[in-house]
Amino acid sequence: PMRRGMASEVAAVPGERRSMNLVGAVNDALRIALEEDSTACVFGEDVGFGGVFRASVDLQEKFGRHRVFNTPLCEQGIAGFGIGLAAEGVTAVAEIQFADYIFPAIDQICNEAAKYRYRSGGLFNAGGLTVRAPCGAVGHGGLYHSQSPEAYFTHTPGLIVVMPRSPAQAKGLLLASIRRRDPVVFFEPKVLYRSSVEEVPIEPYEIALGSAEGVREG
C-alpha cells in the first residue's frame, strides 16, 4: 500500500524542532531508544567508536560499554547475536557497517529472525531485533561499498524493510522500527546522510510502518 502525508505526521508532532541531517536524526533516535528502554543495546563494527559514518557518536560515553559496543568483523555473528538477544527479551539494534556486507548474514536474518515466531508456534520470537545498514552509492565506494540490497529482503515473510528519505523520516521510522515487536531491516541511504538539513522534532515520535510514501504519481 501507498499513502501520502508522512510530512503531515511529522508536522503534527508538538514541541520544539532542531536542525538535523539524516545521520544526526539516526543518532538522535538511537539515543532516545537507549534512554527509554533499559534493555536496549546498540552494537556492530566500530559502533563503540561512533561508527564509520558517526551514527553512534557519543552513545557509548552516555550509556556505557555494556550497551553500546563493538563486535568482531563477522556479519553473520552480528545478526545471530542480535537474534539471541531479542529472543531473550532484549531490544537489540545491530549495525551492518555497509549494506554490501549483509549477505553473509542473510541466512540468520531470513531463515532465523524472520521465521522464529512462526517455527515455534508463537512461543519465541526475535521481534526486538532491528538491523541497520547504510546502503547505496556515494560516487567513490567501488563495488563493495555501493550496493542497495533491500529488494532481497522485501521478499521474506516475517521481515519489515524500511528506508527513510529525509532526517525527519529517519528519526520517526527508526524509533517505530526499534519499538516494533517484529524484526526490521532498516536501510539508510548514505548519500543522504549529510546532503540536507531539516527541522526535526526534539520529542520522540513515530511514523507508522507498513506502507510506502507516494511522493508523486506517474
Side-chain angles (χ1 to χ4, degrees):
M2 299 188 69
R3 76 179 191 273
R4 293 187 180 275
M6 282 192 189
S8 63
E9 292 179 52
V10 176
V13 178
E16 298 180 24
R17 267 68 172 157
R18 186 169 67 239
S19 294
M20 299 182 195
N21 56 24
L22 196 146
V23 73
V26 167
N27 179 268
D28 199 42
L30 293 174
R31 175 190 60 80
I32 291 169
L34 288 160
E35 285 179 346
E36 68 182 14
D37 183 347
S38 63
T39 76
C41 58
V42 177
F43 53 92
E45 298 165 12
D46 297 324
V47 162
F49 306 139
V52 68
F53 295 105
R54 315 307 290 161
S56 57
V57 69
D58 294 333
L59 296 181
Q60 188 177 83
E61 289 77 7
K62 291 178 181 177
F63 299 100
R65 294 175 178 270
H66 64 296
R67 299 185 66 197
V68 182
F69 51 88
N70 298 329
T71 65
L73 307 183
C74 179
E75 286 75 17
Q76 185 179 24
I78 292 169
F81 178 69
I83 292 166
L85 287 177
E88 290 297 317
V90 171
T91 298
V93 185
E95 179 184 294
I96 303 298
Q97 193 173 78
F98 287 86
D100 312 62
Y101 297 116
I102 204 169
F103 295 108
I106 277 186
D107 181 56
Q108 287 292 319
I109 296 171
C110 295
N111 278 330
E112 301 299 335
K115 298 176 174 65
Y116 202 19
R117 180 182 281 116
Y118 178 75
R119 69 184 288 200
S120 69
L123 294 176
F124 310 102
N125 69 82
L129 174 66
T130 301
V131 179
R132 296 179 41 249
C135 65
V138 292
H140 56 267
L143 69 165
Y144 288 128
H145 297 82
S146 304
Q147 299 178 64
S148 297
E150 63 277 358
Y152 293 103
F153 296 94
T154 61
H155 296 278
T156 303
L159 287 183
I160 295 174
V161 181
V162 180
M163 183 183 294
R165 66 167 179 84
S166 71
Q169 280 193 12
K171 181 175 178 177
L173 289 171
L174 183 53
L175 280 173
S177 298
I178 293 170
R179 293 168 175 173
R180 180 77 173 243
R181 294 299 93 179
D182 292 294
V184 178
V185 186
F186 191 90
F187 289 100
E188 300 164 10
K190 54 183 180 283
V191 72
L192 300 181
Y193 268 160
R194 294 174 174 85
S195 64
S196 64
V197 172
E198 189 174 17
E199 293 298 306
V200 178
I202 296 175
E203 294 299 314
Y205 63 95
E206 295 184 26
I207 295 176
L209 305 179
S211 61
E213 181 186 27
V215 178
R216 183 176 65 183
E217 296 181 3

mmCIF file of all heavy atoms in Angstrom, residues 1 10 16 29 41 51 64 74-75 80 84 91 150 171 179 186 193:
data_model
loop_
_atom_site.group_PDB
_atom_site.id
_atom_site.type_symbol
_atom_site.label_atom_id
_atom_site.label_comp_id
_atom_site.label_asym_id
_atom_site.label_seq_id
_atom_site.Cartn_x
_atom_site.Cartn_y
_atom_site.Cartn_z
ATOM 1 N N PRO A 1 0.831 -1.211 0.000
ATOM 2 C CA PRO A 1 0.000 0.000 0.000
ATOM 3 C C PRO A 1 0.855 1.246 0.000
ATOM 4 O O PRO A 1 1.979 1.244 0.472
ATOM 5 C CB PRO A 1 -0.806 -0.142 1.289
ATOM 6 C CG PRO A 1 0.026 -1.012 2.166
ATOM 7 C CD PRO A 1 0.723 -1.971 1.247
ATOM 8 N N VAL A 10 4.725 14.162 10.726
ATOM 9 C CA VAL A 10 5.799 14.855 11.439
ATOM 10 C C VAL A 10 5.328 16.227 11.899
ATOM 11 O O VAL A 10 5.605 16.653 13.030
ATOM 12 C CB VAL A 10 7.047 14.985 10.548
ATOM 13 C CG1 VAL A 10 8.125 15.798 11.248
ATOM 14 C CG2 VAL A 10 7.585 13.611 10.164
ATOM 15 N N GLU A 16 9.346 21.672 20.244
ATOM 16 C CA GLU A 16 10.406 22.355 19.529
ATOM 17 C C GLU A 16 11.017 21.475 18.446
ATOM 18 O O GLU A 16 10.889 20.250 18.466
ATOM 19 C CB GLU A 16 11.499 22.793 20.510
ATOM 20 C CG GLU A 16 11.038 23.784 21.559
ATOM 21 C CD GLU A 16 12.162 24.161 22.494
ATOM 22 O OE1 GLU A 16 13.341 24.039 22.103
ATOM 23 O OE2 GLU A 16 11.863 24.569 23.629
ATOM 24 N N ALA A 29 17.603 9.211 17.304
ATOM 25 C CA ALA A 29 16.665 8.111 17.540
ATOM 26 C C ALA A 29 17.313 7.017 18.382
ATOM 27 O O ALA A 29 16.666 6.457 19.290
ATOM 28 C CB ALA A 29 16.183 7.546 16.206
ATOM 29 N N CYS A 41 20.283 -2.165 23.439
ATOM 30 C CA CYS A 41 21.717 -2.066 23.220
ATOM 31 C C CYS A 41 21.976 -1.897 21.721
ATOM 32 O O CYS A 41 21.174 -2.312 20.878
ATOM 33 C CB CYS A 41 22.462 -3.271 23.769
ATOM 34 S SG CYS A 41 21.958 -4.852 23.093
ATOM 35 N N GLY A 51 31.093 4.733 15.017
ATOM 36 C CA GLY A 51 30.715 4.220 13.702
ATOM 37 C C GLY A 51 31.447 4.930 12.584
ATOM 38 O O GLY A 51 31.864 6.092 12.720
ATOM 39 N N GLY A 64 27.412 3.680 28.261
ATOM 40 C CA GLY A 64 28.323 2.659 28.750
ATOM 41 C C GLY A 64 28.667 1.589 27.730
ATOM 42 O O GLY A 64 27.943 1.365 26.757
ATOM 43 N N CYS A 74 32.234 -9.798 11.686
ATOM 44 C CA CYS A 74 31.522 -11.035 11.326
ATOM 45 C C CYS A 74 30.034 -10.733 11.258
ATOM 46 O O CYS A 74 29.331 -10.770 12.280
ATOM 47 C CB CYS A 74 31.809 -12.132 12.353
ATOM 48 S SG CYS A 74 30.959 -13.688 12.023
ATOM 49 N N GLU A 75 29.554 -10.422 10.066
ATOM 50 C CA GLU A 75 28.145 -10.032 9.923
ATOM 51 C C GLU A 75 27.185 -11.153 10.297
ATOM 52 O O GLU A 75 26.125 -10.895 10.888
ATOM 53 C CB GLU A 75 27.883 -9.560 8.494
ATOM 54 C CG GLU A 75 28.444 -8.182 8.185
ATOM 55 C CD GLU A 75 29.954 -8.160 7.987
ATOM 56 O OE1 GLU A 75 30.530 -9.254 7.766
ATOM 57 O OE2 GLU A 75 30.559 -7.073 8.055
ATOM 58 N N GLY A 80 23.292 -13.106 14.238
ATOM 59 C CA GLY A 80 22.946 -14.208 15.134
ATOM 60 C C GLY A 80 22.938 -13.780 16.590
ATOM 61 O O GLY A 80 22.056 -14.185 17.364
ATOM 62 N N GLY A 84 19.709 -13.787 19.196
ATOM 63 C CA GLY A 84 19.732 -14.367 20.536
ATOM 64 C C GLY A 84 19.328 -13.379 21.603
ATOM 65 O O GLY A 84 18.554 -13.710 22.518
ATOM 66 N N THR A 91 16.011 -5.467 23.544
ATOM 67 C CA THR A 91 15.842 -4.660 22.340
ATOM 68 C C THR A 91 17.212 -4.485 21.709
ATOM 69 O O THR A 91 18.051 -3.753 22.232
ATOM 70 C CB THR A 91 15.214 -3.300 22.666
ATOM 71 O OG1 THR A 91 13.910 -3.516 23.224
ATOM 72 C CG2 THR A 91 15.089 -2.441 21.416
ATOM 73 N N GLU A 150 18.154 -3.966 -0.637
ATOM 74 C CA GLU A 150 16.890 -4.037 0.094
ATOM 75 C C GLU A 150 15.860 -4.949 -0.556
ATOM 76 O O GLU A 150 15.032 -5.571 0.129
ATOM 77 C CB GLU A 150 16.294 -2.643 0.286
ATOM 78 C CG GLU A 150 15.919 -1.894 -0.984
ATOM 79 C CD GLU A 150 17.087 -1.172 -1.632
ATOM 80 O OE1 GLU A 150 18.203 -1.215 -1.091
ATOM 81 O OE2 GLU A 150 16.858 -0.561 -2.693
ATOM 82 N N LYS A 171 14.259 9.683 11.828
ATOM 83 C CA LYS A 171 14.038 9.591 13.273
ATOM 84 C C LYS A 171 12.736 8.863 13.589
ATOM 85 O O LYS A 171 12.718 7.933 14.406
ATOM 86 C CB LYS A 171 14.035 10.992 13.897
ATOM 87 C CG LYS A 171 13.823 10.970 15.410
ATOM 88 C CD LYS A 171 13.948 12.347 16.031
ATOM 89 C CE LYS A 171 13.686 12.289 17.532
ATOM 90 N NZ LYS A 171 13.867 13.611 18.185
ATOM 91 N N ARG A 179 10.872 0.056 18.277
ATOM 92 C CA ARG A 179 9.778 -0.263 19.199
ATOM 93 C C ARG A 179 8.896 -1.402 18.702
ATOM 94 O O ARG A 179 8.200 -2.037 19.497
ATOM 95 C CB ARG A 179 8.923 0.985 19.418
ATOM 96 C CG ARG A 179 9.636 2.103 20.166
ATOM 97 C CD ARG A 179 8.835 3.386 20.086
ATOM 98 N NE ARG A 179 9.413 4.471 20.876
ATOM 99 C CZ ARG A 179 8.967 5.717 20.851
ATOM 100 N NH1 ARG A 179 7.935 6.037 20.071
ATOM 101 N NH2 ARG A 179 9.536 6.645 21.589
ATOM 102 N N PHE A 186 16.590 -2.000 8.515
ATOM 103 C CA PHE A 186 16.456 -0.552 8.321
ATOM 104 C C PHE A 186 17.633 -0.076 7.480
ATOM 105 O O PHE A 186 18.768 0.011 7.950
ATOM 106 C CB PHE A 186 16.457 0.140 9.687
ATOM 107 C CG PHE A 186 16.058 1.586 9.658
ATOM 108 C CD1 PHE A 186 14.727 1.960 9.798
ATOM 109 C CD2 PHE A 186 17.013 2.583 9.517
ATOM 110 C CE1 PHE A 186 14.348 3.295 9.798
ATOM 111 C CE2 PHE A 186 16.648 3.920 9.509
ATOM 112 C CZ PHE A 186 15.312 4.279 9.646
ATOM 113 N N TYR A 193 22.998 11.043 4.019
ATOM 114 C CA TYR A 193 23.389 11.276 5.408
ATOM 115 C C TYR A 193 23.612 12.758 5.711
ATOM 116 O O TYR A 193 23.162 13.282 6.724
ATOM 117 C CB TYR A 193 24.659 10.500 5.730
ATOM 118 C CG TYR A 193 24.443 9.113 6.303
ATOM 119 C CD1 TYR A 193 25.452 8.160 6.258
ATOM 120 C CD2 TYR A 193 23.252 8.757 6.933
ATOM 121 C CE1 TYR A 193 25.281 6.898 6.795
ATOM 122 C CE2 TYR A 193 23.058 7.501 7.469
ATOM 123 C CZ TYR A 193 24.085 6.567 7.401
ATOM 124 O OH TYR A 193 23.906 5.316 7.946
#
